[in-house]
Amino acid sequence: YSKLSQTGANGLTRSFKRPKGSLTLAWTPHKGLDLSLKVARVVGQLSFGDFLARVDLDQGQNNAGNVELVPPQRWNVDFEVKKDLGRWGTTDLKLFYSGIDDYIDVIPLGGGAESTGNIPRAYRYGLDWTSTVNLDPLGLKGAKIDTEVQFQHSRIRDQLTGDFRPINNSNLRYINVQYRHDIPGSDWAYGGYYDDFKQAFGFRLDIRERPRNSP
């Protein structure tokens, strides 16, 4: 249960009753292998700043206020597999899905203005895979490789064009590989890493932007 009260011009007082909770199923078919499935209904929170009219002089952006905002809700489904690889290390794979109601994004208003507002539906799904591989069995004692790989797809209807597009600035791909070798019998270690990511564009009425990696 939540209650939102706003004072001043066009101030509103609104109450929300929304159920939330989660169910988790876990199974260990044999030692070293864990499977889990979690289904959760999540109720989001509204930031105070989401309601405010504000101007960003540096970016040349102007947000009108929106007193009609409602908290977003989502269904989350996560399936996770954890495997103990013994001397070789561990690996953890998670598949996820999120169906979102009343997603908060920038929407167009009358007269060419724009503001933070609710979009009825959005969803995202993908995978997150992390692993630690020990190189001791190969004769390189004290060495290991840590990896993290994420891929995500999302979809939302653009409120200006009516076309479907990814969620603003959502992660499309993230890859991180780290190598470290602690030299046995010494205080020395060396290593290195590779890091790469790709994000979806961020959209406003007159802007399309996307961060990029530098080599």
Side-chain angles (χ1 to χ4, degrees), residues 37-188:
L37 174 67
K38 181 177 181 180
V39 180
R41 180 65 167 175
V42 180
V43 179
Q45 298 292 320
L46 292 176
S47 167
F48 176 73
D50 291 337
F51 290 97
L52 300 180
R54 61 189 184 275
V55 176
D56 187 332
L57 297 178
D58 181 54
Q59 298 294 328
Q61 297 173 356
N62 183 11
N63 274 13
N66 185 355
V67 298
E68 301 288 348
L69 275 178
V70 299
Q73 303 177 89
R74 63 183 184 271
W75 281 105
N76 289 342
V77 180
D78 298 314
F79 177 68
E80 188 170 10
V81 180
K82 294 183 179 181
K83 176 64 175 173
D84 186 344
L85 303 176
R87 297 173 58 209
W88 289 96
T90 61
T91 187
D92 185 347
L93 174 64
K94 178 187 288 185
L95 305 177
F96 61 87
Y97 169 85
S98 184
I100 310 167
D101 299 325
D102 296 322
Y103 184 81
I104 294 179
D105 205 339
V106 176
I107 63 172
L109 302 177
E114 59 185 348
S115 177
T116 303
N118 294 106
I119 297 178
R121 297 285 184 274
Y123 70 83
R124 66 177 111 210
Y125 62 86
L127 65 84
D128 187 352
W129 186 17
T130 59
S131 298
T132 296
V133 178
N134 298 319
L135 302 182
D136 292 43
L138 296 179
L140 196 58
K141 294 190 178 299
K144 67 175 182 175
I145 298 175
D146 292 309
T147 63
E148 181 176 3
V149 178
Q150 298 176 1
F151 291 101
Q152 178 178 268
H153 175 77
S154 63
R155 177 165 160 155
I156 194 170
R157 185 180 293 277
D158 190 280
Q159 297 298 288
L160 179 64
T161 67
D163 296 330
F164 287 103
R165 60 167 173 81
I167 292 174
N168 270 355
N169 299 123
S170 57
N171 289 327
L172 302 176
R173 179 187 71 232
Y174 174 70
I175 300 173
N176 181 275
V177 180
Q178 300 186 40
Y179 170 77
R180 178 184 173 99
H181 184 199
D182 292 282
I183 301 174
S186 76
D187 296 329
W188 291 91

